[in-house]
Amino acid sequence: MRLIGLAGWSGAGKTTLMTRLIPEMTRRGVAVSTLKHAHHAFDVDRPGKDSYEHRSAGARQVLVASANRWALMTELRGAPEPTLAELLRHFAPVDLVIVEGFKRDAHPKIEVHRAENGKPWLHPDDPYIAAIASDVPPPSGRLPHAHLDAIEAIADLVLAKATPLEAFLARG
């Protein structure tokens, strides 16, 4: 298993890039899983569903399963937010895990930058950014880069810069 992140400010196009990158990786025969950091309260369940009622009643974990998929929901109930390393340990084996968000963590990342956002570049202050995907050329030429619309070129960067997951987990 290998690991790469997509990091950038809100509105830079990380999710759009992810939804274009996954099919390209699949086309290349690369099995992909993703991990998305949510900055706000979120819920994958809704009131009235049995699983929601189980959680509301105080269950710490609720596993819902069917013939098509299964999902495990864990309520932290005041416990600290899990680290990136802790979350990654839950994945079944795949070729590549792409992390969206967790921009302050020490894993290899591709910076996603959109000029119209007016936000500063991340790579000058983040030694873990290994490449850049942007709609404008980066200010320095020290990192490989591709245009946000060049999905095949970005996929090449992802595959070149992804790190073995075990190496990341061993550090953390």
Side-chain angles (χ1 to χ4, degrees):
M1 286 178 58
R2 295 171 60 206
L3 169 70
I4 192 77
L6 299 181
W9 300 103
S10 178
K14 297 180 301 293
T15 301
T16 300
L17 177 57
M18 184 80 85
T19 61
R20 295 180 69 200
L21 198 53
I22 294 167
E24 175 61 21
M25 291 299 177
T26 302
R27 185 187 69 73
R28 294 179 184 207
V30 177
V32 177
S33 289
T34 66
L35 193 161
K36 163 76 172 127
H37 186 263
H39 293 283
H40 311 289
F42 75 96
D43 206 335
V44 296
D45 212 353
R46 63 182 194 267
K49 292 306 210 177
D50 294 346
S51 52
Y52 182 92
E53 299 305 324
H54 295 185
R55 288 187 306 123
S56 294
R60 294 231 174 179
Q61 290 189 309
V62 176
L63 194 146
V64 181
S66 75
N68 296 323
R69 71 189 54 87
W70 66 271
L72 176 63
M73 293 173 281
T74 301
E75 290 292 323
L76 295 178
R77 306 244 183 251
E81 181 178 354
T83 66
L84 176 57
E86 289 168 337
L87 294 169
L88 288 167
R89 286 185 177 96
H90 290 282
F91 276 103
V94 291
D95 300 318
L96 178 67
V97 176
I98 305 174
V99 175
E100 182 181 338
F102 292 92
K103 71 178 169 232
R104 306 229 188 290
D105 285 75
H107 63 287
K109 295 173 273 239
I110 293 180
E111 178 174 359
V112 181
H113 183 87
R114 187 172 302 280
E116 72 182 45
N117 262 4
K119 298 283 190 178
W121 293 88
L122 298 175
H123 68 274
D125 299 318
D126 186 344
Y128 296 100
I129 292 178
I132 297 170
S134 177
D135 59 346
V136 296
S140 72
R142 69 178 183 85
L143 293 174
H145 66 278
H147 192 277
L148 277 172
D149 291 328
I151 299 305
E152 290 182 8
I154 296 170
D156 291 342
L157 290 173
V158 164
L159 293 173
K161 300 301 181 178
T163 299
L165 180 60
E166 288 303 318
F168 173 75
L169 295 177
R171 291 193 324 238

Coordinates of all heavy atoms in Angstrom, one line a residue, residues 57-102:
A57 N -28.8 6.2 21.3 CA -29.0 5.5 22.6 C -27.7 5.3 23.3 O -27.7 5.0 24.5 CB -29.6 4.1 22.3
G58 N -26.5 5.6 22.7 CA -25.3 5.6 23.4 C -24.2 4.6 22.9 O -23.2 4.4 23.4
A59 N -24.5 3.8 21.8 CA -23.6 2.9 21.3 C -22.3 3.6 20.8 O -22.4 4.7 20.2 CB -24.2 2.1 20.1
R60 N -21.2 3.1 21.1 CA -19.9 3.7 20.7 C -19.6 3.4 19.2 O -19.0 4.2 18.5 CB -18.7 3.1 21.5 CG -18.8 3.6 22.9 CD -17.6 4.1 23.4 NE -17.8 4.7 24.7 CZ -16.9 5.2 25.4 NH1 -15.7 5.3 24.9 NH2 -17.1 5.7 26.6
Q61 N -19.9 2.2 18.8 CA -19.8 1.8 17.4 C -21.1 1.1 16.9 O -21.7 0.4 17.6 CB -18.6 0.9 17.1 CG -17.3 1.5 17.3 CD -16.1 0.7 16.9 OE1 -16.0 -0.5 17.3 NE2 -15.2 1.2 16.1
V62 N -21.4 1.5 15.6 CA -22.5 0.8 15.0 C -22.0 0.4 13.6 O -21.5 1.2 12.8 CB -23.7 1.8 14.8 CG1 -24.9 1.1 14.0 CG2 -24.2 2.3 16.2
L63 N -22.2 -0.9 13.3 CA -21.8 -1.4 12.0 C -23.1 -1.8 11.3 O -23.9 -2.5 11.8 CB -20.9 -2.7 12.2 CG -20.2 -3.1 10.9 CD1 -18.8 -3.7 11.3 CD2 -21.0 -4.1 10.1
V64 N -23.2 -1.2 10.1 CA -24.4 -1.5 9.2 C -23.9 -2.3 8.0 O -22.9 -1.9 7.4 CB -25.0 -0.2 8.7 CG1 -26.2 -0.5 7.9 CG2 -25.4 0.7 9.9
A65 N -24.5 -3.4 7.7 CA -24.0 -4.2 6.6 C -25.2 -4.7 5.7 O -26.3 -4.8 6.2 CB -23.3 -5.5 7.2
S66 N -24.9 -4.8 4.4 CA -25.8 -5.3 3.5 C -25.0 -6.2 2.4 O -23.8 -6.3 2.6 CB -26.5 -4.2 2.7 OG -25.7 -3.6 1.8
A67 N -25.7 -6.6 1.4 CA -25.0 -7.4 0.4 C -24.1 -6.5 -0.5 O -23.2 -7.0 -1.1 CB -26.1 -8.1 -0.5
N68 N -24.3 -5.2 -0.5 CA -23.6 -4.3 -1.3 C -22.5 -3.6 -0.6 O -21.5 -3.2 -1.3 CB -24.5 -3.3 -2.0 CG -25.5 -3.9 -2.9 OD1 -25.2 -4.9 -3.6 ND2 -26.7 -3.5 -2.9
R69 N -22.6 -3.3 0.7 CA -21.6 -2.5 1.4 C -21.7 -2.7 2.9 O -22.8 -3.1 3.4 CB -21.6 -1.0 1.0 CG -22.8 -0.3 1.5 CD -23.0 1.1 0.9 NE -23.0 1.1 -0.5 CZ -24.1 1.0 -1.2 NH1 -25.3 0.8 -0.7 NH2 -24.1 1.0 -2.5
W70 N -20.7 -2.2 3.6 CA -20.8 -2.1 5.1 C -20.2 -0.9 5.5 O -19.3 -0.3 4.9 CB -20.3 -3.4 5.8 CG -18.8 -3.6 5.7 CD1 -18.2 -4.3 4.7 CD2 -17.8 -3.2 6.6 NE1 -16.8 -4.4 5.0 CE2 -16.6 -3.6 6.1 CE3 -17.8 -2.4 7.8 CZ2 -15.4 -3.4 6.8 CZ3 -16.7 -2.1 8.4 CH2 -15.4 -2.6 7.9
A71 N -20.6 -0.3 6.6 CA -20.1 0.9 7.2 C -20.0 0.8 8.7 O -20.9 0.3 9.3 CB -21.0 2.1 6.8
L72 N -18.9 1.2 9.2 CA -18.7 1.2 10.7 C -18.6 2.7 11.1 O -17.8 3.4 10.7 CB -17.4 0.5 11.0 CG -17.0 0.5 12.5 CD1 -18.1 -0.2 13.4 CD2 -15.7 -0.1 12.7
M73 N -19.6 3.1 12.0 CA -19.6 4.4 12.5 C -19.1 4.4 13.9 O -19.6 3.5 14.7 CB -21.0 5.0 12.4 CG -21.5 5.3 11.0 SD -23.2 5.8 10.9 CE -24.0 4.2 11.1
T74 N -18.2 5.3 14.3 CA -17.7 5.3 15.6 C -17.9 6.7 16.2 O -17.6 7.7 15.6 CB -16.1 5.1 15.6 OG1 -15.9 3.8 15.0 CG2 -15.5 5.1 17.0
E75 N -18.6 6.7 17.4 CA -18.8 7.9 18.1 C -17.7 8.2 19.1 O -17.4 7.3 19.9 CB -20.2 7.8 18.9 CG -21.4 7.8 18.0 CD -21.6 9.2 17.3 OE1 -21.3 10.2 17.9 OE2 -22.1 9.1 16.2
L76 N -17.1 9.3 19.0 CA -15.9 9.6 19.9 C -16.3 9.9 21.3 O -15.6 9.7 22.2 CB -15.1 10.7 19.3 CG -14.4 10.4 17.9 CD1 -13.7 11.6 17.4 CD2 -13.5 9.2 18.0
R77 N -17.5 10.4 21.5 CA -18.1 10.7 22.8 C -17.1 11.4 23.7 O -16.8 10.9 24.8 CB -18.5 9.4 23.5 CG -19.5 8.6 22.6 CD -20.9 8.4 23.2 NE -21.8 7.6 22.4 CZ -22.8 8.2 21.7 NH1 -23.0 9.4 21.8 NH2 -23.5 7.4 21.0
G78 N -16.4 12.4 23.2 CA -15.5 13.2 24.0 C -14.1 12.8 23.9 O -13.2 13.5 24.3
A79 N -13.8 11.7 23.3 CA -12.4 11.2 23.1 C -11.7 12.1 22.0 O -12.4 12.7 21.2 CB -12.4 9.7 22.6
P80 N -10.4 12.2 22.0 CA -9.7 13.0 21.0 C -9.9 12.5 19.6 O -10.1 11.3 19.4 CB -8.3 12.9 21.4 CG -8.2 12.2 22.7 CD -9.5 11.6 23.0
E81 N -9.9 13.4 18.7 CA -10.0 13.1 17.3 C -8.8 12.1 16.9 O -7.7 12.4 17.3 CB -9.9 14.3 16.4 CG -10.0 14.0 14.9 CD -10.0 15.3 14.1 OE1 -10.0 16.4 14.6 OE2 -10.0 15.2 12.8
P82 N -9.1 11.0 16.2 CA -8.0 10.1 15.8 C -7.0 10.8 14.9 O -7.3 11.7 14.1 CB -8.7 9.0 15.1 CG -10.1 9.1 15.3 CD -10.4 10.6 15.7
T83 N -5.7 10.4 15.0 CA -4.7 10.9 14.2 C -4.8 10.3 12.8 O -5.5 9.2 12.6 CB -3.3 10.5 14.7 OG1 -3.1 9.1 14.7 CG2 -3.1 11.0 16.2
L84 N -4.1 10.8 11.8 CA -4.1 10.3 10.5 C -3.6 8.9 10.5 O -4.2 8.0 9.9 CB -3.3 11.2 9.6 CG -3.1 10.7 8.1 CD1 -4.4 10.5 7.4 CD2 -2.2 11.6 7.4
A85 N -2.5 8.6 11.2 CA -2.0 7.2 11.3 C -3.0 6.3 11.9 O -3.2 5.1 11.4 CB -0.7 7.2 12.1
E86 N -3.7 6.7 12.9 CA -4.7 5.8 13.5 C -5.8 5.4 12.5 O -6.3 4.3 12.4 CB -5.3 6.4 14.8 CG -4.4 6.5 15.9 CD -4.8 7.4 17.1 OE1 -5.7 8.3 16.9 OE2 -4.4 7.1 18.2
L87 N -6.3 6.4 11.8 CA -7.3 6.2 10.8 C -6.8 5.3 9.6 O -7.6 4.5 9.2 CB -7.8 7.6 10.2 CG -8.5 8.5 11.3 CD1 -8.7 9.9 10.7 CD2 -9.8 7.8 11.7
L88 N -5.6 5.6 9.2 CA -5.1 4.8 8.1 C -5.0 3.3 8.4 O -5.1 2.4 7.5 CB -3.7 5.3 7.6 CG -3.8 6.6 6.9 CD1 -2.4 7.2 6.8 CD2 -4.4 6.5 5.5
R89 N -4.8 3.0 9.7 CA -4.7 1.6 10.1 C -6.0 0.8 9.9 O -6.0 -0.4 10.0 CB -4.2 1.5 11.5 CG -2.8 1.8 11.7 CD -2.3 1.6 13.1 NE -0.8 1.9 13.2 CZ -0.3 3.1 13.5 NH1 -1.1 4.1 13.9 NH2 1.0 3.2 13.6
H90 N -7.1 1.5 9.7 CA -8.4 0.8 9.5 C -8.7 0.4 8.1 O -9.6 -0.4 7.8 CB -9.5 1.8 9.9 CG -9.6 2.0 11.4 ND1 -10.1 1.1 12.3 CD2 -9.2 3.1 12.1 CE1 -10.1 1.6 13.5 NE2 -9.5 2.8 13.4
F91 N -7.8 0.8 7.1 CA -8.1 0.4 5.7 C -7.7 -1.0 5.4 O -6.7 -1.5 5.9 CB -7.2 1.3 4.8 CG -7.9 2.7 4.5 CD1 -7.5 3.8 5.1 CD2 -8.9 2.7 3.6 CE1 -8.1 5.0 4.9 CE2 -9.6 4.0 3.3 CZ -9.1 5.1 4.0
A92 N -8.5 -1.6 4.5 CA -8.2 -2.9 3.9 C -7.1 -2.6 2.9 O -7.0 -1.5 2.4 CB -9.4 -3.5 3.3
P93 N -6.3 -3.6 2.6 CA -5.2 -3.4 1.6 C -5.7 -3.0 0.2 O -6.7 -3.5 -0.3 CB -4.6 -4.8 1.5 CG -4.9 -5.5 2.8 CD -6.3 -5.0 3.2
V94 N -5.1 -2.0 -0.3 CA -5.3 -1.5 -1.7 C -3.9 -1.0 -2.2 O -2.9 -1.0 -1.4 CB -6.2 -0.3 -1.7 CG1 -7.6 -0.7 -1.4 CG2 -5.8 0.9 -0.9
D95 N -3.8 -0.6 -3.4 CA -2.6 -0.2 -4.0 C -2.2 1.2 -3.5 O -1.0 1.5 -3.2 CB -2.6 -0.1 -5.5 CG -2.9 -1.5 -6.1 OD1 -2.3 -2.5 -5.6 OD2 -3.7 -1.6 -7.1
L96 N -3.2 2.1 -3.4 CA -3.0 3.5 -3.1 C -4.1 4.1 -2.2 O -5.3 3.9 -2.5 CB -2.9 4.3 -4.4 CG -2.7 5.8 -4.3 CD1 -1.3 6.1 -3.8 CD2 -2.9 6.4 -5.7
V97 N -3.7 4.8 -1.2 CA -4.6 5.6 -0.3 C -4.4 7.0 -0.6 O -3.2 7.5 -0.5 CB -4.5 5.3 1.2 CG1 -5.4 6.2 2.0 CG2 -4.7 3.8 1.5
I98 N -5.4 7.8 -1.0 CA -5.3 9.2 -1.3 C -6.0 9.9 -0.1 O -7.2 9.7 0.1 CB -5.9 9.6 -2.6 CG1 -5.3 8.8 -3.8 CG2 -5.7 11.1 -2.8 CD1 -5.9 9.1 -5.1
V99 N -5.3 10.8 0.6 CA -5.9 11.5 1.7 C -6.2 12.9 1.2 O -5.4 13.6 0.6 CB -4.8 11.6 2.8 CG1 -5.4 12.5 4.0 CG2 -4.5 10.2 3.3
E100 N -7.5 13.4 1.5 CA -7.8 14.7 1.2 C -8.0 15.5 2.5 O -8.7 15.1 3.4 CB -9.2 14.8 0.4 CG -9.6 16.2 0.1 CD -10.9 16.3 -0.6 OE1 -11.4 15.3 -1.2 OE2 -11.5 17.4 -0.6
G101 N -7.2 16.6 2.6 CA -7.2 17.3 3.9 C -5.9 16.9 4.7 O -4.9 16.4 4.1
F102 N -6.0 17.0 6.0 CA -4.9 16.7 6.8 C -3.6 17.4 6.3 O -2.5 16.9 6.3 CB -4.6 15.2 6.9 CG -5.7 14.4 7.6 CD1 -6.8 13.9 6.9 CD2 -5.6 14.2 9.0 CE1 -7.8 13.1 7.6 CE2 -6.6 13.5 9.7 CZ -7.7 13.0 8.9

